[in-house]
Amino acid sequence: MYPFDLSYNVGIGTTSPTHKLNVVGDANVTGTVYAKNFSGNSDITFINGTGSAIMTIKDSGNVGIGTTSPSAKLHIQNGSILIKESDGNI
């Protein structure tokens, strides 16, 4: 862990963190993870390895898969939904 740089960012597995907490490598969390952005936007966005947003949870509770602007509780953009019981029945 490298806790001191001029921007007050903390790095785990990196000597040049780019965010307030920058973890390079796997992270294992036991317990609850809380995400809060005090600038008024509490959205959580999951980014894939190429930097594209793949899922967003808005502070309104709407979830978007394939969109960062979900307009319903579950909004899937350009994708399919599969609902299946373990026995193969719907």
Side-chain angles (χ1 to χ4, degrees):
M1 187 160 107
Y2 307 95
F4 301 107
D5 75 359
L6 297 177
S7 62
Y8 301 104
N9 293 340
V10 175
I12 300 173
T14 179
T15 57
S16 53
T18 57
H19 295 82
K20 293 298 178 192
L21 175 61
N22 192 179
V23 178
V24 175
D26 295 340
N28 182 7
V29 177
T30 301
T32 304
V33 175
Y34 296 93
K36 177 72 175 152
N37 180 340
F38 291 100
S39 66
N41 177 350
S42 298
D43 299 349
I44 300 169
T45 300
F46 296 85
I47 307 293
N48 68 12
T50 63
S52 298
I54 57 172
M55 184 171 83
T56 298
I57 303 171
K58 302 294 281 183
D59 59 3
S60 65
N62 290 356
V63 176
I65 300 174
T67 179
T68 56
S69 303
S71 58
K73 288 295 178 193
L74 178 60
H75 180 158
I76 299 174
Q77 185 77 28
N78 298 324
S80 301
I81 299 173
L82 175 64
I83 302 171
K84 188 173 169 181
E85 297 273 343
S86 59
D87 62 5
N89 294 320
I90 295 179

